[in-house]
Amino acid sequence: MTDPQKKRCMALCKACADACETCAIACEGEANPAMGDCIALDMDCADFCRLTASFIARDSRFVALVCEDCAELCTACADECAKHPSDHCQACAHACRQCAQACLELGAHAMA
């Protein structure tokens, strides 16, 4: 695992968490009951991305496991957000997909 790779993944995890929080707040403001899954996934994803960044920062021996789970959660959040046309949902879906890819790559290197 290279230091630039870890820094990139941490940055994308933090960016994803920020995008998820922005999306959740915007969706809550819409007061649309159909956005419940989006809001819940946004909040879960934001929390897990921050957790993942902290595991990476401290070189936890569980980085591969946490990165794999983070990628799965980010993908689920991206899939949900991509269903909605609003800019904040589309931005969140994009950030989630970038984070998922970085986590998969880092997790694979951590296992090697």
Side-chain angles (χ1 to χ4, degrees), residues 42 51 67 74 104:
D42 283 338
L51 174 74
C67 280
C74 284
L104 287 174

Side-chain angles (χ1 to χ4, degrees), residues 16 20 23 35 37-39 41-42 45 70-85 89-98 100:
C16 185
C20 286
C23 186
M35 300 306 285
D37 286 343
C38 186
I39 294 166
L41 279 166
D42 283 338
C45 191
C70 189
E72 184 174 339
L73 184 50
C74 284
T75 299
C77 190
D79 290 347
E80 177 61 31
C81 286
K83 295 177 186 177
H84 308 289
C89 285
Q90 292 300 310
C92 186
H94 178 71
C96 286
R97 293 203 194 288
Q98 286 186 313

Side-chain angles (χ1 to χ4, degrees), residues 2 4 6 10 16-18 23 43 47-48 50 66 70-71 74 83 93 95 98 100 106 112:
T2 66
K6 290 189 322 187
M10 285 190 300
C16 185
D18 291 345
C23 186
M43 295 174 82
D47 287 346
F48 210 88
R50 285 202 170 79
V66 174
C70 189
C74 284
K83 295 177 186 177
Q98 286 186 313
L106 186 63

